[in-house]
Amino acid sequence: MIYLDYAATTPPSETVIEAVTQTLRDYPGNPSSFHRPGREAKKRYQQAKRHIATLLGTIPERIFFTGSGSEATALALKGHPFTPGETILTTTVEHHATLHTLEQLKKNGIRVRTLPCDHEGFLPEETLEAALAEERTGMLSLVHANNEIGTLQDLKALGDLAHAHDVKVHADMVQSPLHMQLALDEMPVDYASFSAHKFFGPKGIGILYARDVNELTPLIDGGGQEHGLRSGTENLPYIVGLEKALAEAVEALTPREAAIRRLAKRFLWRLEASTLEYNLNGPPLEKPRLWNILNIGFKGVDPQRLAYKLDRHDIAVSLGSACSGDTIERSHVLEAIKAPRSHGALRFSLSHHESEEDIDDVVEVLQRLLL
Amino acid sequence: MEEKVRIVSEEETLFEGHAHELPFRESAIKQKSLELFDEEDPCILHRSFVFEALGDEVLEALDELGNDVARLDAHEAFAKIDIEAVEATISRC
C-alpha cells in the first residue's frame, strides 16, 4: 500500500502506541482522585501538559485537552463571549469544523461574514482590512495551513491586523505542527485548534490553545476538569500519546520536511515529464504552503473513478469532493479558489515514510490509468 | 481506463455504457456496501465506490468466461444487474 492521505490522518508511530499502552497499564487512576493511583495519574498528566506547552511555545495554563480538533474549534467559537451585533470574520477556504460551527452560531443571531480568498487560497490583507473597517468585528477565525490545498496564510500579518482592531483571532492549526516550529505565545492568536492524529498521534484527542481561559464558556459541564473548560475525566493515555507524537514531530522537523520537499518536487517533476494533463490547485511550491499537500486536477477525469482505480492499485488518496445529501459536491475550497471544473481533483498528501520509488510508481499508475 | 459493456436481447440494446453505470439491483448494492463499508445505506460517495466495484466484477466475469459475448445468466456477477430479458447477452464494446 502506498498511503498518500496523511492530511486525513497519520498512523500513530510505534513509540506513540507504546506510550499509550504503557500509560493505560501503568496509570489506572483518575487524576481527580486523592489516593496514590490518582495522584500518580495527576502527576503524569501535569508532566505531559507542561511538556506539550513547551513544545508549542506556551505555558500549561493555556493548553486545554479536547476530544478532537473540531471540538477545540467549537469551544473557541461557541465558548467565546460575543456581544450583540458583533461579527465573526472567516474565509471561504475553512474546514467544515469552522464553517458548520459558524452556521450554528448564525442561527443563534451571531453575524458571520465570509471573506473571499484569492485563486491560491490566500486571504489578502486588504480584504481583511476593508472588512475590519466595515464591521464591528469580534473575532477572525481562519485556517492557518489549509487541509485541502496546502495554502499557508500569513498569520503574523493577518493576526496583527486583527489585533490592531482589537479583534480576537482563532487559528485552525490542525495541519500545522507537523510542518513548522510553533511559538504560540509569540503569535497573534488568542485561540488555536490542534488534533493529535494529524501528527502521528492517537485519534480522539485534541488541544485548544486559549490565551485567556476566563473568557470562555464551556460546552461540557461536570467535574470541572481542564480548569472548568472541558469537564470529563482526562484521557491520560491519549494525552501521553499526543505528548509523544508532538515531541517526535518537533524533534524530527528538519529532516522530515526535507524529505517531504524532495518527494513533492519529484511528484510534480514526474507529472510534468509525463503526458498527463494536470494542474496544481492552490499555491505553487515557491509560495507559502505545506509541501505535503498536493491537490492535483486531471483534465477530463472523474475523480471518484480515479480514486477507486488507485485504491485497486493499493494507492490511497483523497477526493476533492464530499457527500451532500444524495449528490456528490465538489469541495467548497476548490470552488472558492475557482479551480478549473474541467479537471477532476485528487489530494495527494505525502509524508517522509514514502520513498522516491513510491512516488514514481504512483505517477506510472496514473499514466496507465489515464491513457 | 474506460470499460464499456453492451447488453442485448432479441437484437434490442438494453444497455450500453460504462460497467459502473449498469443498473445494479438494490440487494447487490446493499450486499457490496456491507462487504466494503459494513454499511447498509451508504452515502452517495460510498455508493459510487460500490458501483465501481460491482462494475469491475462484471468486467472480471467477462474476462473469466473468456468469450466475446456471454449470456446474462452465465455468471453470478451478471445476476446483480437489474435487467430481466429473454436470452440477454453481455459483451464489451
Side-chain angles (χ1 to χ4, degrees), chain A residues 305 308-309 311-312 319 323 325-328 369, chain B residues 1-2 20 43-45 48-49 52-53 56 60:
Chain A
R305 291 212 73 198
Y308 170 80
K309 300 281 182 193
D311 182 59
R312 291 279 311 236
L319 286 165
C323 311
D326 55 1
T327 58
I328 298 174
L369 292 175
Chain B
M1 73 186 267
E2 306 299 0
H20 72 282
C43 71
I44 186 72
L45 211 53
S48 75
F49 196 92
E52 294 285 354
D56 269 3
E60 284 159 12

Side-chain angles (χ1 to χ4, degrees), chain A residues 71-299:
Chain A
E71 186 192 327
T73 294
L75 184 52
L77 298 178
K78 291 183 173 175
H80 183 78
F82 293 102
T83 56
E86 273 189 330
T87 298
I88 303 175
L89 297 179
T90 191
T91 81
T92 48
V93 298
E94 299 303 308
H95 190 275
H96 280 145
T98 298
L99 293 177
H100 292 173
T101 301
L102 292 176
E103 284 298 319
Q104 288 294 319
L105 286 172
K106 267 201 241 183
K107 289 177 188 165
N108 297 336
I110 305 284
R111 194 174 137 71
V112 176
R113 181 164 164 189
T114 307
L115 304 175
C117 290
D118 66 18
H119 70 285
E120 292 172 352
F122 292 104
L123 173 62
E125 274 181 66
E126 53 273 23
T127 303
L128 176 61
E129 182 129 44
L132 288 166
E134 289 165 16
E135 305 278 354
R136 193 161 72 77
T137 308
M139 187 185 285
L140 166 67
S141 181
L142 82 168
V143 59
H144 180 213
N146 191 279
N147 57 303
E148 291 193 42
I149 54 174
T151 309
L152 191 61
Q153 300 289 354
D154 187 348
L155 193 53
K156 174 84 175 82
L158 297 168
D160 281 345
L161 191 54
H163 278 174
H165 287 75
D166 208 17
V167 167
K168 299 288 183 189
V169 176
H170 164 251
D172 169 356
M173 300 183 115
V174 162
Q175 295 287 343
S176 308
L178 203 51
H179 305 286
M180 64 200 77
Q181 179 77 57
L182 297 170
L184 290 173
D185 284 352
E186 293 169 23
M187 300 171 83
V189 292
D190 302 282
Y191 305 110
S193 309
F194 298 94
S195 180
H197 78 98
K198 304 293 188 182
F199 48 84
F200 298 96
K203 293 162 187 67
I205 184 83
I207 292 174
L208 175 66
Y209 164 84
R211 199 173 282 263
D212 184 358
V213 62
N214 297 317
E215 289 187 333
L216 285 172
T217 302
L219 302 179
I220 304 169
D221 295 297
Q225 288 88 348
E226 299 302 307
H227 289 272
L229 199 55
R230 206 264 190 178
S231 287
T233 302
E234 297 88 342
N235 187 347
L236 186 59
Y238 281 12
I239 289 168
V240 172
L242 186 157
E243 176 199 14
K244 185 71 182 169
L246 188 58
E248 289 177 352
V250 171
E251 190 184 345
L253 177 61
T254 305
R256 189 178 57 248
E257 269 308 283
I260 287 171
R261 286 178 181 225
R262 266 199 310 278
L263 294 178
K265 277 186 190 168
R266 187 171 186 93
F267 198 157
L268 293 184
W269 169 68
R270 288 299 309 265
L271 283 176
E272 197 59 35
S274 74
T275 55
L276 297 169
E277 289 190 71
Y278 77 97
N279 71 300
L280 174 66
N281 293 317
L285 292 187
E286 56 272 20
K287 290 273 193 81
R289 63 152 28 248
L290 297 187
W291 282 61
N292 70 317
I293 294 179
L294 299 176
N295 191 306
I296 311 282
F298 296 97
K299 191 177 179 187

Side-chain angles (χ1 to χ4, degrees), chain A residues 26-28 35-45 236:
Chain A
D26 295 350
Y27 295 91
H35 47 60
R36 188 169 54 80
R39 290 196 307 276
E40 285 172 353
K42 179 73 173 182
K43 281 183 186 170
R44 185 65 188 89
Y45 164 86
L236 186 59

